[in-house]
Amino acid sequence: MNSKNHTNQIQLITYIDRLSGGKINNLHQMLQGPLAGLFDGVHLLPFYPPIDGEDAGFDPTNHTAVDSRLGNWDDIRTLAADFPVMADMIVNHMSAQSPQFLDVLEHGEKSPYWPLFLTKDTVFGEGATAEQISAVYRPRPTPFFTDIALKDGRKVPFWTTFTANQIDIDVNSAAGKAYLNAILERFTENGVKYIRLDAAGYAIKKAGTRCFMLPETFEFIAALSERAKARGMVCLVEIHGYHQTQIEIAKRCDMVYDFALPPLVLHTLFSRNAEALKHWLDIAPRNCITVLDTHDGIGIVDAADYQGQPGLLTDPELDTLVETIHKNSKGSSKLATGSAANNVDLYQVNCSFYDALGQNDQQYLLARAIQLFCPGISQIYYAGLLAMENDVELLQKSRVGRDIGRPYLTADKVENALQKPVVKALCQLIKLRRSLQAFNGKFSQTLNNDQYQLCWQHEAHTASLEISLASLQATIHWQHGGQQAESLSLNSL
C-alpha cells in the first residue's frame, strides 16, 4: 500500500472475469497497464466457485477456494502484493450445492453439518406464530423459508433469506463459527487486507424480532471485526438500511458503506438542490467507503424514512428520483427492477449510474467529482469507470435484474471504452484526486443559495470543488503548499 492516509484512497470494485475477460493475472496486468495510476487497491467480487452461480458468486459451494477458471490463491497473493485486496466474506449463507449441505440432505440430523444451517425450528422451535413470521424483515418478496426434501423424504423448512439456493448459516453454532474461522484463516494466508462482510445485517435471527440489525447483530459484527483486526485485516460492513442505523454501525466497526450517497447525488443533480446532500455529509460517518454504483443496484431504502422516522429524502422526492432514473434510461432500468426481473429486490433500482443520468457526460463527471470530494475511501465500480450503458442483452439472457449493470467485457472492449472522452476525463479526475495531499486533512462544506462547495485542507495544502447548482457548472481549485494555486473546470475535460 502506498504511504497515503488510510482513508485517502481510491479502490476499484470488479468481478475478475467480467472486467479482464479472463483470469486473475489478466486483471493484474490490466491494473498495471491500461489502468495504471488509477487505484490504490481492488475489491474483488466473489471469486469462489461457482463464479457463474445463481447469484454471481454470492452462493459459494466452497468459500475457501478460488474458482479454477480464474486462477488460484497464489494469483490472489501476487495481486495483493501490488494492490491491497478486498474480498467478500459471505457470512449469512452458502450454496445449497455445497458439500456440507449435500451431506445434510443425505444424512439429515446425523450429518456433522446439520448444526451449520438454520431451519425454521432452529429459531422458532416447534411453533411459530403468524405474528412472529410477519415481523421478519424481508429484503425480497420471496418466502424466507424453503421446504427442501431430505433423502429420507422428510421436508425441512430451511431459512433462505435471499434465494432457495442460498441456505442461511447458524453463525452462533460451533459449526458456524468454525466455518467463518476457516475463511478468515484462508484470507490471512493469502494476503487479503480488507474483508467485506456481505449481508451481515441478516446474520442473527431471533424469534419475535425483525431478524435484521438486532443488538446481537451489532455484537456479532463487532466480534468478527475484532477477530479480523487481530489478523491484520480491516472489516467493511455491507448493510442497506436506514441512515441512522449506518451511523450506529460505524461506531462499532472499522468501515461502513455510504449507500445513501448515490440517491442523494442523483437528487442533487436532478433537483439542482444540495440541501439533503449537505445535511447527510454533515452527519455521515467518516470511516466509510463511498460508492455511486456497485454490482448491485442504486439503493433507495438508504435515503428513505423508517417506522415514522424521517429519511434523508421524502417519499415524493424518492418517487421523483426513481421515475427520473427510468426516464433517463429510456425505460431499460424498469425492465430490471421490481417484478419485471427475477432475484428482485425491494430496496434498489437496477441501472448503471451513467444511464441513470441519461448518459450526460457533464453530469456524470460532476457526480464523480462529488464522490471523490466526499470523506472516505472512494470505490469506483468497473462499469462506472468505463461509463457503461445498461446491458439489456445480458438482462434478457439471464433474467436477473442486477445483471443489467454487470457487463462481461473483453480486453478490447476495455481499451475502446478507455478512449471515450468521458472516461478519459474521469481517469484524469481520479489521478488529480490521488495527487492532492489536501485529502489527508479535514473536510468542510458550504451551501449558499446556488453555490455549493466541498473543501479539504491539510496543513498548507487545499482543494475545493465549487458547484453552481443552477447550471451544474463546476470547478476544482487546489494548491500544493506554498505553490501557485491551480484550477480546472469540469466542463473543459
Side-chain angles (χ1 to χ4, degrees):
M1 186 182 297
N2 62 32
S3 60
K4 288 183 178 183
N5 181 301
H6 169 67
T7 59
N8 184 16
Q9 299 180 40
I10 300 177
Q11 298 175 351
L12 173 70
I13 326 171
T14 190
Y15 293 98
I16 294 166
D17 58 322
R18 297 191 193 214
L19 174 60
S20 71
K23 299 177 179 290
I24 298 163
N25 55 15
N26 298 124
L27 177 63
H28 196 170
Q29 291 165 5
M30 188 172 284
L31 286 166
Q32 293 177 316
L35 303 184
L38 296 177
F39 299 107
D40 301 289
V42 57
H43 173 190
L44 301 177
L45 290 160
F47 47 83
Y48 326 110
I51 55 171
D52 52 359
E54 287 184 19
D55 198 18
F58 284 96
D59 46 356
T61 57
N62 185 350
H63 204 319
T64 60
V66 176
D67 192 305
S68 60
R69 290 169 289 183
L70 299 177
N72 54 43
W73 281 112
D74 287 341
D75 299 319
I76 296 290
R77 196 161 54 249
T78 300
L79 173 62
D82 290 330
F83 297 91
V85 163
M86 178 181 290
D88 285 280
M89 187 170 182
I90 303 163
V91 299
N92 182 70
H93 53 262
M94 61 194 297
S95 174
Q97 313 307 316
S98 64
Q100 294 97 322
F101 192 68
L102 293 178
D103 193 80
V104 164
L105 297 184
E106 179 75 18
H107 301 290
E109 289 89 340
K110 294 180 181 179
S111 169
Y113 302 111
W114 179 264
L116 180 57
F117 300 100
L118 275 177
T119 67
K120 186 177 183 179
D121 291 349
T122 310
V123 178
F124 295 107
E126 294 184 2
T129 66
E131 187 179 7
Q132 288 176 323
I133 296 296
S134 64
V136 177
Y137 173 68
R138 295 296 301 124
R140 301 185 182 186
T142 52
F144 56 90
F145 296 126
T146 301
D147 289 329
I148 301 177
L150 306 182
K151 185 179 180 182
D152 64 12
R154 287 181 297 144
K155 286 191 174 182
V156 176
F158 286 95
W159 201 300
T160 52
T161 294
F162 294 101
T163 72
N165 192 51
Q166 293 164 299
I167 312 299
D168 285 28
I169 297 164
D170 185 350
V171 297
N172 284 325
S173 69
K177 291 175 181 176
Y179 175 76
L180 296 179
N181 278 333
I183 300 169
L184 284 175
E185 184 67 30
R186 190 55 55 92
F187 284 177
T188 305
E189 293 169 351
N190 293 284
V192 172
K193 174 66 177 174
Y194 298 89
I195 300 174
R196 175 184 181 268
L197 301 181
D198 177 70
Y202 303 92
I204 305 295
K205 282 83 169 176
K206 186 177 178 181
T209 72
R210 300 178 75 239
C211 297
F212 178 72
M213 289 315 304
L214 311 177
E216 294 87 346
T217 312
F218 285 102
E219 294 169 7
F220 167 74
I221 290 170
L224 187 54
S225 295
E226 284 302 313
R227 281 152 56 196
K229 190 180 296 184
R231 295 170 175 268
M233 293 182 281
V234 175
C235 272
L236 166 67
V237 179
E238 183 269 338
I239 293 171
H240 280 280
Y242 187 54
H243 68 276
Q244 290 291 352
T245 303
Q246 295 284 24
I247 292 172
E248 290 305 312
I249 297 167
K251 298 173 183 176
R252 295 169 170 84
C253 63
D254 297 325
M255 304 200 79
V256 294
Y257 274 111
D258 186 348
F259 281 136
L261 186 63
L264 289 173
V265 169
L266 290 174
H267 171 76
T268 298
L269 300 185
F270 293 162
S271 68
R272 313 291 173 102
N273 185 331
E275 290 179 5
L277 176 59
K278 181 182 182 297
H279 168 65
W280 171 237
L281 293 181
D282 280 338
I283 63 173
R286 296 307 188 236
N287 56 329
C288 67
I289 295 274
T290 68
V291 292
L292 292 185
D293 45 5
T294 70
H295 56 292
D296 288 337
I298 299 167
I300 300 301
V301 68
D302 308 278
D305 59 16
Y306 171 68
Q307 294 186 344
Q309 298 299 311
L312 297 167
L313 296 174
T314 65
D315 285 349
E317 287 172 335
L318 287 171
D319 289 342
T320 298
L321 177 70
V322 171
E323 289 308 312
T324 305
I325 293 173
H326 291 330
K327 179 182 177 182
N328 284 349
S329 70
K330 296 181 172 60
S332 61
S333 58
K334 224 169 192 176
L335 301 175
T337 301
S339 59
N342 294 324
N343 253 4
V344 296
D345 301 289
L346 302 175
Y347 54 83
Q348 60 190 20
V349 176
N350 292 315
C351 186
S352 80
F353 211 82
Y354 188 54
D355 267 351
L357 287 168
Q359 301 179 22
N360 183 307
D361 290 358
Q362 176 190 345
Q363 292 188 22
Y364 187 68
L365 286 175
L366 177 53
R368 287 296 176 188
I370 292 172
Q371 180 196 4
L372 293 171
F373 267 79
C374 287
I377 292 177
S378 301
Q379 278 195 347
I380 310 288
Y381 184 50
Y382 79 106
L385 173 70
L386 302 173
M388 300 303 295
E389 303 169 9
N390 282 337
D391 194 335
V392 176
E393 185 177 346
L394 179 60
L395 168 68
Q396 292 172 338
K397 181 180 177 181
S398 71
R399 302 305 304 157
V400 174
R402 288 175 293 177
D403 270 351
I404 200 168
R406 300 173 172 180
Y408 285 93
L409 306 175
T410 61
D412 286 344
K413 285 183 178 179
V414 173
E415 288 284 2
N416 290 336
L418 286 170
Q419 300 309 310
K420 295 191 292 189
V422 65
V423 176
K424 284 185 174 182
L426 175 54
C427 290
Q428 188 178 342
L429 268 185
I430 291 172
K431 289 178 179 178
L432 175 62
R433 164 73 167 75
R434 294 184 73 227
S435 74
L436 298 179
Q437 295 184 44
F439 288 93
N440 288 314
K442 291 186 176 181
F443 170 78
S444 62
Q445 56 176 342
T446 58
L447 176 59
N448 294 312
N449 299 320
D450 175 58
Q451 300 300 310
Y452 183 39
Q453 188 174 49
L454 306 175
C455 304
W456 287 85
Q457 182 166 0
H458 176 60
E459 297 173 347
H461 305 279
T462 62
S464 65
L465 172 65
E466 297 181 0
I467 305 167
S468 171
L469 293 168
S471 63
L472 296 184
Q473 304 287 309
T475 304
I476 297 174
H477 303 276
W478 69 94
Q479 186 170 14
H480 292 287
Q483 298 178 17
Q484 185 174 348
E486 299 182 65
S487 63
L488 175 70
S489 169
L490 288 190
N491 306 84
S492 68
L493 290 176

